[in-house]
CSV table of all heavy atoms in Angstrom, one decimal:
chain,number,residue,atom,x,y,z
A,55,MET,N,214.5,-79.8,124.2
A,55,MET,CA,214.7,-79.4,122.9
A,55,MET,C,216.1,-79.4,122.5
A,55,MET,O,216.9,-78.9,123.2
A,55,MET,CB,214.0,-78.2,122.6
A,55,MET,CG,214.2,-77.5,121.2
A,55,MET,SD,213.9,-75.8,121.1
A,55,MET,CE,212.1,-75.8,120.9
A,56,LYS,N,216.4,-79.9,121.3
A,56,LYS,CA,217.8,-79.7,120.8
A,56,LYS,C,217.8,-78.8,119.5
A,56,LYS,O,216.8,-78.8,118.8
A,56,LYS,CB,218.4,-81.0,120.4
A,56,LYS,CG,218.7,-81.9,121.7
A,56,LYS,CD,219.4,-83.2,121.3
A,56,LYS,CE,219.6,-84.1,122.5
A,56,LYS,NZ,220.4,-83.5,123.6
A,57,VAL,N,218.9,-78.1,119.3
A,57,VAL,CA,219.0,-77.3,118.1
A,57,VAL,C,220.3,-77.4,117.5
A,57,VAL,O,221.4,-77.6,118.2
A,57,VAL,CB,218.6,-75.8,118.4
A,57,VAL,CG1,219.7,-75.2,119.4
A,57,VAL,CG2,218.6,-75.0,117.1
A,58,LYS,N,220.4,-77.3,116.1
A,58,LYS,CA,221.7,-77.3,115.5
A,58,LYS,C,221.5,-76.5,114.2
A,58,LYS,O,220.3,-76.2,113.8
A,58,LYS,CB,222.1,-78.7,115.1
A,58,LYS,CG,221.2,-79.5,114.3
A,58,LYS,CD,221.8,-80.9,114.1
A,58,LYS,CE,220.8,-81.8,113.3
A,58,LYS,NZ,221.2,-83.2,113.1
A,59,ILE,N,222.7,-76.1,113.7
A,59,ILE,CA,222.6,-75.3,112.4
A,59,ILE,C,223.2,-76.0,111.3
A,59,ILE,O,224.4,-76.5,111.5
A,59,ILE,CB,223.3,-73.9,112.7
A,59,ILE,CG1,222.5,-73.1,113.7
A,59,ILE,CG2,223.6,-73.2,111.4
A,59,ILE,CD1,223.2,-71.7,114.1
A,60,ASP,N,222.7,-76.0,110.1
A,60,ASP,CA,223.2,-76.6,108.9
A,60,ASP,C,224.2,-75.6,108.3
A,60,ASP,O,223.8,-74.6,107.8
A,60,ASP,CB,222.1,-77.0,107.9
A,60,ASP,CG,222.7,-77.7,106.8
A,60,ASP,OD1,223.9,-77.5,106.4
A,60,ASP,OD2,221.9,-78.5,106.2
A,61,ALA,N,225.5,-75.8,108.6
A,61,ALA,CA,226.5,-74.9,108.1
A,61,ALA,C,226.6,-74.7,106.6
A,61,ALA,O,227.0,-73.7,106.1
A,61,ALA,CB,227.8,-75.3,108.7
A,62,ASP,N,226.0,-75.7,105.9
A,62,ASP,CA,226.1,-75.6,104.5
A,62,ASP,C,225.0,-74.6,103.9
A,62,ASP,O,225.0,-74.1,102.8
A,62,ASP,CB,225.8,-77.0,103.8
A,62,ASP,CG,227.0,-77.9,104.1
A,62,ASP,OD1,228.2,-77.4,104.2
A,62,ASP,OD2,226.8,-79.1,104.1
A,63,LEU,N,224.0,-74.5,104.8
A,63,LEU,CA,222.9,-73.6,104.4
A,63,LEU,C,223.0,-72.2,104.9
A,63,LEU,O,222.6,-71.2,104.3
A,63,LEU,CB,221.6,-74.1,104.8
A,63,LEU,CG,221.0,-75.5,104.2
A,63,LEU,CD1,219.7,-75.9,104.9
A,63,LEU,CD2,220.9,-75.3,102.8
A,64,CYS,N,223.6,-72.0,106.1
A,64,CYS,CA,223.6,-70.7,106.8
A,64,CYS,C,224.4,-69.6,105.9
A,64,CYS,O,225.4,-70.0,105.4
A,64,CYS,CB,224.4,-70.9,108.1
A,64,CYS,SG,224.6,-69.3,109.0
A,65,THR,N,223.7,-68.6,105.8
A,65,THR,CA,224.3,-67.4,105.0
A,65,THR,C,224.9,-66.3,105.9
A,65,THR,O,225.2,-65.3,105.5
A,65,THR,CB,223.2,-66.8,104.1
A,65,THR,OG1,222.2,-66.3,104.9
A,65,THR,CG2,222.7,-67.8,103.1
A,66,ALA,N,225.0,-66.6,107.3
A,66,ALA,CA,225.6,-65.7,108.1
A,66,ALA,C,224.8,-64.3,108.2
A,66,ALA,O,225.5,-63.3,108.3
A,66,ALA,CB,227.1,-65.5,107.9
A,67,CYS,N,223.5,-64.4,108.1
A,67,CYS,CA,222.7,-63.1,108.0
A,67,CYS,C,222.7,-62.5,109.5
A,67,CYS,O,222.2,-61.4,109.6
A,67,CYS,CB,221.3,-63.4,107.5
A,67,CYS,SG,220.3,-64.3,108.7
A,68,GLU,N,223.0,-63.3,110.5
A,68,GLU,CA,223.1,-62.7,111.9
A,68,GLU,C,221.7,-62.5,112.5
A,68,GLU,O,221.5,-61.9,113.5
A,68,GLU,CB,223.9,-61.5,112.0
A,68,GLU,CG,225.3,-61.8,111.6
A,68,GLU,CD,226.3,-60.6,111.9
A,68,GLU,OE1,226.0,-59.9,112.8
A,68,GLU,OE2,227.4,-60.5,111.3
A,69,LEU,N,220.6,-63.0,111.8
A,69,LEU,CA,219.3,-62.9,112.4
A,69,LEU,C,219.1,-63.7,113.7
A,69,LEU,O,218.7,-63.1,114.8
A,69,LEU,CB,218.2,-63.3,111.4
A,69,LEU,CG,216.8,-63.0,111.8
A,69,LEU,CD1,216.5,-61.5,111.8
A,69,LEU,CD2,215.9,-63.7,110.7
A,70,CYS,N,219.5,-64.9,113.7
A,70,CYS,CA,219.4,-65.7,114.9
A,70,CYS,C,220.2,-65.3,116.0
A,70,CYS,O,219.8,-65.4,117.2
A,70,CYS,CB,219.6,-67.2,114.5
A,70,CYS,SG,221.2,-67.6,114.0
A,71,THR,N,221.4,-64.9,115.7
A,71,THR,CA,222.3,-64.4,116.8
A,71,THR,C,221.8,-63.1,117.4
A,71,THR,O,222.1,-62.9,118.6
A,71,THR,CB,223.7,-64.2,116.2
A,71,THR,OG1,223.7,-63.3,115.1
A,71,THR,CG2,224.3,-65.5,115.7
A,72,GLY,N,221.2,-62.3,116.7
A,72,GLY,CA,220.5,-61.1,117.2
A,72,GLY,C,219.3,-61.4,118.0
A,72,GLY,O,219.0,-60.8,119.0
A,73,GLN,N,218.5,-62.4,117.6
A,73,GLN,CA,217.3,-62.8,118.3
A,73,GLN,C,217.5,-63.6,119.6
A,73,GLN,O,216.9,-63.3,120.6
A,73,GLN,CB,216.4,-63.7,117.4
A,73,GLN,CG,215.6,-62.9,116.3
A,73,GLN,CD,214.8,-63.8,115.4
A,73,GLN,OE1,215.2,-64.9,115.0
A,73,GLN,NE2,213.5,-63.4,115.1
A,74,VAL,N,218.4,-64.5,119.6
A,74,VAL,CA,218.6,-65.3,120.7
A,74,VAL,C,220.2,-65.5,121.0
A,74,VAL,O,220.8,-66.5,120.8
A,74,VAL,CB,218.0,-66.7,120.6
A,74,VAL,CG1,217.8,-67.3,122.0
A,74,VAL,CG2,216.7,-66.7,119.8
A,75,PRO,N,220.8,-64.4,121.4
A,75,PRO,CA,222.3,-64.5,121.5
A,75,PRO,C,222.7,-65.5,122.7
A,75,PRO,O,223.9,-65.9,122.7
A,75,PRO,CB,222.6,-63.0,122.0
A,75,PRO,CG,221.4,-62.4,122.5
A,75,PRO,CD,220.3,-63.1,121.7
A,76,GLU,N,221.7,-65.8,123.5
A,76,GLU,CA,222.0,-66.8,124.6
A,76,GLU,C,222.3,-68.2,124.0
A,76,GLU,O,222.9,-69.1,124.6
A,76,GLU,CB,220.9,-66.9,125.6
A,76,GLU,CG,220.7,-65.6,126.3
A,76,GLU,CD,219.8,-64.7,125.6
A,76,GLU,OE1,219.3,-65.0,124.4
A,76,GLU,OE2,219.4,-63.6,126.1
A,77,VAL,N,221.8,-68.5,122.7
A,77,VAL,CA,221.8,-69.8,122.1
A,77,VAL,C,222.7,-69.8,120.9
A,77,VAL,O,223.4,-70.8,120.5
A,77,VAL,CB,220.5,-70.3,121.8
A,77,VAL,CG1,220.5,-71.6,121.1
A,77,VAL,CG2,219.6,-70.4,123.1
A,78,PHE,N,222.7,-68.7,120.1
A,78,PHE,CA,223.4,-68.7,118.8
A,78,PHE,C,224.4,-67.6,118.9
A,78,PHE,O,224.3,-66.5,119.4
A,78,PHE,CB,222.5,-68.3,117.7
A,78,PHE,CG,221.3,-69.2,117.6
A,78,PHE,CD1,220.0,-68.8,117.9
A,78,PHE,CD2,221.4,-70.5,117.1
A,78,PHE,CE1,218.9,-69.6,117.8
A,78,PHE,CE2,220.3,-71.4,116.9
A,78,PHE,CZ,219.1,-70.9,117.3
A,79,GLU,N,225.6,-67.8,118.3
A,79,GLU,CA,226.7,-66.8,118.1
A,79,GLU,C,227.3,-67.0,116.7
A,79,GLU,O,227.2,-68.0,116.1
A,79,GLU,CB,227.7,-67.1,119.2
A,79,GLU,CG,228.6,-68.3,119.0
A,79,GLU,CD,229.7,-68.5,120.1
A,79,GLU,OE1,229.8,-67.6,120.9
A,79,GLU,OE2,230.3,-69.5,120.0
A,80,MET,N,227.9,-65.9,116.3
A,80,MET,CA,228.6,-66.0,115.0
A,80,MET,C,229.9,-66.6,115.2
A,80,MET,O,230.7,-66.3,116.0
A,80,MET,CB,228.8,-64.6,114.4
A,80,MET,CG,227.4,-64.0,113.9
A,80,MET,SD,226.4,-65.0,112.9
A,80,MET,CE,227.6,-65.3,111.5
A,81,GLY,N,230.2,-67.7,114.3
A,81,GLY,CA,231.5,-68.2,114.2
A,81,GLY,C,232.3,-67.5,113.2
A,81,GLY,O,232.0,-66.4,112.8
A,82,ASP,N,233.4,-68.1,112.7
A,82,ASP,CA,234.3,-67.5,111.7
A,82,ASP,C,233.5,-67.2,110.4
A,82,ASP,O,233.7,-66.2,109.8
A,82,ASP,CB,235.4,-68.3,111.4
A,82,ASP,CG,236.4,-68.3,112.6
A,82,ASP,OD1,236.3,-67.4,113.5
A,82,ASP,OD2,237.2,-69.2,112.8
A,83,GLU,N,232.7,-68.2,110.0
A,83,GLU,CA,232.0,-68.1,108.7
A,83,GLU,C,230.5,-68.1,108.8
A,83,GLU,O,229.8,-67.5,108.1
A,83,GLU,CB,232.5,-69.1,107.7
A,83,GLU,CG,234.0,-69.0,107.5
A,83,GLU,CD,234.5,-69.9,106.4
A,83,GLU,OE1,233.7,-70.8,106.0
A,83,GLU,OE2,235.6,-69.8,105.9
A,84,VAL,N,229.9,-69.0,109.7
A,84,VAL,CA,228.5,-69.1,109.9
A,84,VAL,C,228.1,-69.0,111.3
A,84,VAL,O,229.0,-69.0,112.2
A,84,VAL,CB,228.1,-70.5,109.3
A,84,VAL,CG1,228.3,-70.6,107.7
A,84,VAL,CG2,228.8,-71.7,110.0
A,85,ALA,N,226.9,-69.1,111.6
A,85,ALA,CA,226.4,-69.1,112.9
A,85,ALA,C,226.6,-70.4,113.6
A,85,ALA,O,226.6,-71.4,112.9
A,85,ALA,CB,224.9,-68.7,113.0
A,86,GLU,N,226.8,-70.4,114.9
A,86,GLU,CA,227.0,-71.6,115.7
A,86,GLU,C,226.1,-71.7,116.8
A,86,GLU,O,225.6,-70.6,117.4
A,86,GLU,CB,228.5,-71.7,116.1
A,86,GLU,CG,229.4,-71.7,114.9
A,86,GLU,CD,230.9,-71.7,115.4
A,86,GLU,OE1,231.2,-71.4,116.5
A,86,GLU,OE2,231.8,-71.9,114.5
A,87,VAL,N,225.9,-72.8,117.3
A,87,VAL,CA,225.0,-73.0,118.5
A,87,VAL,C,225.8,-73.1,119.8
A,87,VAL,O,226.9,-73.8,119.8
A,87,VAL,CB,224.2,-74.3,118.3
A,87,VAL,CG1,223.4,-74.6,119.6
A,87,VAL,CG2,223.2,-74.2,117.2
A,88,ILE,N,225.5,-72.3,120.7
A,88,ILE,CA,226.3,-72.3,122.0
A,88,ILE,C,225.7,-73.4,122.9
A,88,ILE,O,226.5,-74.0,123.6
A,88,ILE,CB,226.1,-70.9,122.7
A,88,ILE,CG1,226.5,-69.8,121.8
A,88,ILE,CG2,226.9,-70.9,124.1
A,88,ILE,CD1,226.1,-68.4,122.4
A,89,THR,N,224.4,-73.6,122.9
A,89,THR,CA,223.7,-74.5,123.8
A,89,THR,C,222.9,-75.5,123.0
A,89,THR,O,221.7,-75.2,122.8
A,89,THR,CB,222.9,-73.8,124.9
A,89,THR,OG1,222.0,-73.0,124.2
A,89,THR,CG2,223.7,-72.9,125.7
A,90,PRO,N,223.4,-76.6,122.5
A,90,PRO,CA,222.7,-77.5,121.7
A,90,PRO,C,221.5,-78.1,122.5
A,90,PRO,O,220.4,-78.4,121.8
A,90,PRO,CB,223.6,-78.7,121.5
A,90,PRO,CG,225.0,-78.0,121.6
A,90,PRO,CD,224.8,-77.0,122.7
A,91,ASP,N,221.6,-78.2,123.8
A,91,ASP,CA,220.4,-78.5,124.6
A,91,ASP,C,219.8,-77.2,125.1
A,91,ASP,O,220.3,-76.6,125.9
A,91,ASP,CB,220.8,-79.4,125.9
A,91,ASP,CG,221.2,-80.8,125.4
A,91,ASP,OD1,220.4,-81.5,124.7
A,91,ASP,OD2,222.3,-81.3,125.8
A,92,VAL,N,218.7,-76.8,124.4
A,92,VAL,CA,218.2,-75.4,124.6
A,92,VAL,C,217.6,-75.4,126.0
A,92,VAL,O,216.7,-76.2,126.4
A,92,VAL,CB,217.1,-75.2,123.5
A,92,VAL,CG1,216.5,-73.8,123.7
A,92,VAL,CG2,217.7,-75.4,122.1
A,93,PRO,N,218.0,-74.4,126.8
A,93,PRO,CA,217.3,-74.2,128.1
A,93,PRO,C,215.8,-73.8,127.9
A,93,PRO,O,215.5,-73.2,126.9
A,93,PRO,CB,218.1,-72.9,128.6
A,93,PRO,CG,219.4,-72.9,127.9
A,93,PRO,CD,219.1,-73.5,126.6
A,94,ALA,N,215.0,-74.3,128.8
A,94,ALA,CA,213.5,-74.2,128.6
A,94,ALA,C,213.1,-72.7,128.4
A,94,ALA,O,212.2,-72.5,127.5
A,94,ALA,CB,212.8,-74.8,129.9
A,95,GLU,N,213.8,-71.8,129.0
A,95,GLU,CA,213.4,-70.4,128.9
A,95,GLU,C,213.6,-69.9,127.5
A,95,GLU,O,213.1,-68.8,127.1
A,95,GLU,CB,214.0,-69.5,130.0
A,95,GLU,CG,215.5,-69.4,129.9
A,95,GLU,CD,216.2,-70.4,130.8
A,95,GLU,OE1,215.8,-71.5,130.9
A,95,GLU,OE2,217.1,-69.9,131.5
A,96,PHE,N,214.4,-70.6,126.7
A,96,PHE,CA,214.7,-70.0,125.3
A,96,PHE,C,214.0,-70.8,124.2
A,96,PHE,O,214.2,-70.5,123.0
A,96,PHE,CB,216.3,-70.0,125.1
A,96,PHE,CG,217.0,-69.1,126.1
A,96,PHE,CD1,218.0,-69.5,126.9
A,96,PHE,CD2,216.6,-67.7,126.2
A,96,PHE,CE1,218.7,-68.7,127.7
A,96,PHE,CE2,217.2,-66.9,127.0
A,96,PHE,CZ,218.3,-67.4,127.8
A,97,GLU,N,213.2,-71.8,124.6
A,97,GLU,CA,212.7,-72.8,123.6
A,97,GLU,C,211.8,-72.0,122.6
A,97,GLU,O,211.8,-72.2,121.4
A,97,GLU,CB,211.9,-73.9,124.3
A,97,GLU,CG,212.9,-74.9,124.9
A,97,GLU,CD,212.1,-76.2,125.3
A,97,GLU,OE1,210.9,-76.2,125.3
A,97,GLU,OE2,212.8,-77.1,125.7
A,98,ASP,N,210.9,-71.1,123.1
A,98,ASP,CA,210.0,-70.3,122.3
A,98,ASP,C,210.8,-69.5,121.2
A,98,ASP,O,210.5,-69.4,120.1
A,98,ASP,CB,209.1,-69.5,123.0
A,98,ASP,CG,208.0,-70.3,123.7
A,98,ASP,OD1,207.9,-71.5,123.4
A,98,ASP,OD2,207.2,-69.8,124.6
A,99,ALA,N,211.8,-68.8,121.8
A,99,ALA,CA,212.7,-67.9,121.0
A,99,ALA,C,213.4,-68.7,119.9
A,99,ALA,O,213.6,-68.2,118.7
A,99,ALA,CB,213.6,-67.1,121.9
A,100,VAL,N,213.8,-69.8,120.3
A,100,VAL,CA,214.6,-70.7,119.3
A,100,VAL,C,213.6,-71.2,118.2
A,100,VAL,O,214.0,-71.2,117.0
A,100,VAL,CB,215.3,-71.9,120.0
A,100,VAL,CG1,215.7,-72.9,119.0
A,100,VAL,CG2,216.4,-71.4,120.8
A,101,GLU,N,212.4,-71.5,118.6
A,101,GLU,CA,211.4,-71.9,117.6
A,101,GLU,C,211.1,-70.8,116.6
A,101,GLU,O,211.1,-70.9,115.5
A,101,GLU,CB,210.1,-72.3,118.3
A,101,GLU,CG,210.2,-73.6,119.1
A,101,GLU,CD,209.8,-74.9,118.2
A,101,GLU,OE1,209.9,-74.7,117.0
A,101,GLU,OE2,209.5,-75.8,118.8
A,102,GLU,N,211.1,-69.5,117.2
A,102,GLU,CA,210.8,-68.4,116.4
A,102,GLU,C,212.0,-68.1,115.4
A,102,GLU,O,211.8,-67.8,114.2
A,102,GLU,CB,210.5,-67.2,117.3
A,102,GLU,CG,209.8,-66.1,116.7
A,102,GLU,CD,209.4,-65.0,117.7
A,102,GLU,OE1,208.8,-65.4,118.8
A,102,GLU,OE2,209.7,-63.9,117.5
A,103,ALA,N,213.2,-68.2,115.9
A,103,ALA,CA,214.4,-68.1,115.1
A,103,ALA,C,214.4,-69.1,114.0
A,103,ALA,O,214.7,-68.8,112.8
A,103,ALA,CB,215.7,-68.1,116.0
A,104,ALA,N,214.1,-70.3,114.3
A,104,ALA,CA,214.1,-71.3,113.2
A,104,ALA,C,213.1,-71.1,112.1
A,104,ALA,O,213.3,-71.2,110.9
A,104,ALA,CB,213.8,-72.7,113.9
A,105,ALA,N,211.9,-70.5,112.6
A,105,ALA,CA,210.9,-70.1,111.6
A,105,ALA,C,211.3,-68.9,110.8
A,105,ALA,O,210.9,-68.8,109.6
A,105,ALA,CB,209.6,-69.8,112.3
A,106,ASP,N,212.1,-68.1,111.4
A,106,ASP,CA,212.5,-66.8,110.7
A,106,ASP,C,213.7,-66.9,109.9
A,106,ASP,O,213.9,-66.1,109.0
A,106,ASP,CB,212.7,-65.7,111.7
A,106,ASP,CG,211.5,-65.3,112.4
A,106,ASP,OD1,210.4,-65.6,112.0
A,106,ASP,OD2,211.5,-64.5,113.5
A,107,CYS,N,214.5,-68.0,110.1
A,107,CYS,CA,215.8,-68.1,109.3
A,107,CYS,C,215.5,-68.2,107.8
A,107,CYS,O,214.7,-69.0,107.4
A,107,CYS,CB,216.5,-69.4,109.7
A,107,CYS,SG,217.9,-69.8,108.7
A,108,PRO,N,216.0,-67.3,107.0
A,108,PRO,CA,215.6,-67.2,105.6
A,108,PRO,C,216.0,-68.4,104.8
A,108,PRO,O,215.4,-68.6,103.7
A,108,PRO,CB,216.3,-65.9,105.2
A,108,PRO,CG,217.4,-65.7,106.1
A,108,PRO,CD,217.0,-66.2,107.5
A,109,VAL,N,216.9,-69.2,105.3
A,109,VAL,CA,217.3,-70.4,104.5
A,109,VAL,C,217.0,-71.7,105.2
A,109,VAL,O,217.5,-72.8,104.8
A,109,VAL,CB,218.8,-70.3,104.1
A,109,VAL,CG1,219.0,-69.1,103.1
A,109,VAL,CG2,219.7,-70.1,105.3
A,110,ASP,N,216.2,-71.7,106.3
A,110,ASP,CA,215.8,-72.8,107.0
A,110,ASP,C,217.1,-73.6,107.5
A,110,ASP,O,217.1,-74.9,107.4
A,110,ASP,CB,214.9,-73.8,106.2
A,110,ASP,CG,213.5,-73.1,106.0
A,110,ASP,OD1,213.1,-72.2,106.8
A,110,ASP,OD2,212.8,-73.4,105.1
A,111,ALA,N,218.0,-72.9,108.0
A,111,ALA,CA,219.3,-73.6,108.4
A,111,ALA,C,219.3,-74.1,109.9
A,111,ALA,O,220.1,-74.8,110.3
A,111,ALA,CB,220.5,-72.7,108.2
A,112,ILE,N,218.2,-73.6,110.6
A,112,ILE,CA,218.2,-73.9,112.1
A,112,ILE,C,217.2,-75.2,112.2
A,112,ILE,O,216.0,-75.1,111.9
A,112,ILE,CB,217.5,-72.8,112.9
A,112,ILE,CG1,218.5,-71.6,112.7
A,112,ILE,CG2,217.4,-73.2,114.3
A,112,ILE,CD1,218.0,-70.3,113.3
A,113,ILE,N,217.8,-76.3,112.8
A,113,ILE,CA,217.0,-77.5,112.9
A,113,ILE,C,216.7,-77.8,114.3
A,113,ILE,O,217.7,-77.9,115.1
A,113,ILE,CB,217.9,-78.6,112.3
A,113,ILE,CG1,218.2,-78.3,110.8
A,113,ILE,CG2,217.1,-79.9,112.4
A,113,ILE,CD1,219.5,-79.0,110.3
A,114,VAL,N,215.4,-77.8,114.7
A,114,VAL,CA,215.1,-78.2,116.1
A,114,VAL,C,214.6,-79.6,116.1
A,114,VAL,O,213.9,-80.1,115.2
A,114,VAL,CB,214.1,-77.2,116.6
A,114,VAL,CG1,214.7,-75.8,116.7
A,114,VAL,CG2,212.9,-77.1,115.8
A,115,SER,N,214.8,-80.2,117.2
A,115,SER,CA,214.3,-81.6,117.4
A,115,SER,C,213.9,-81.9,118.9
A,115,SER,O,214.3,-81.0,119.7
A,115,SER,CB,215.2,-82.6,116.9
A,115,SER,OG,216.5,-82.5,117.5
B,441,SF4,S1,219.2,-66.9,110.8
B,441,SF4,FE1,219.8,-68.7,109.6
B,441,SF4,S2,221.0,-67.9,107.9
B,441,SF4,FE2,220.9,-66.3,109.5
B,441,SF4,S3,222.7,-66.6,110.7
B,441,SF4,FE3,221.1,-67.8,111.7
B,441,SF4,S4,221.2,-69.8,110.9
B,441,SF4,FE4,222.4,-68.5,109.5
């Protein structure tokens, strides 16, 4: 699984960085992905974060 964040949509609400700090971190203005190739043990959490993101800025593929 791969994950990325649409920086144009992210509102820096810090939800994803709180939910899965192993994968997401706050950058200067928006959240950023630390591990674009999501480790298997965090796939469920990343799916959940993508579903919970209030502006659908987290894109999984
Ligand atoms: S949950 Fe969505 S809007 Fe909030 S910081 Fe993460 S990517 Fe940005």
Side-chain angles (χ1 to χ4, degrees):
M55 173 198 278
K56 293 186 183 300
V57 65
K58 58 186 177 182
I59 289 175
D60 187 332
D62 292 332
L63 294 177
C64 177
T65 58
C67 74
E68 301 189 22
L69 188 64
C70 60
T71 56
Q73 281 181 316
V74 201
E76 298 87 354
V77 175
F78 303 108
E79 68 179 357
M80 289 310 299
D82 289 339
E83 296 185 354
V84 296
E86 296 175 349
V87 173
I88 305 167
T89 56
D91 290 309
V92 180
E95 64 263 42
F96 298 124
E97 287 190 352
D98 287 350
V100 167
E101 291 272 20
E102 201 168 312
D106 290 348
C107 174
V109 292
D110 292 334
I112 300 173
I113 301 154
V114 295
S115 57

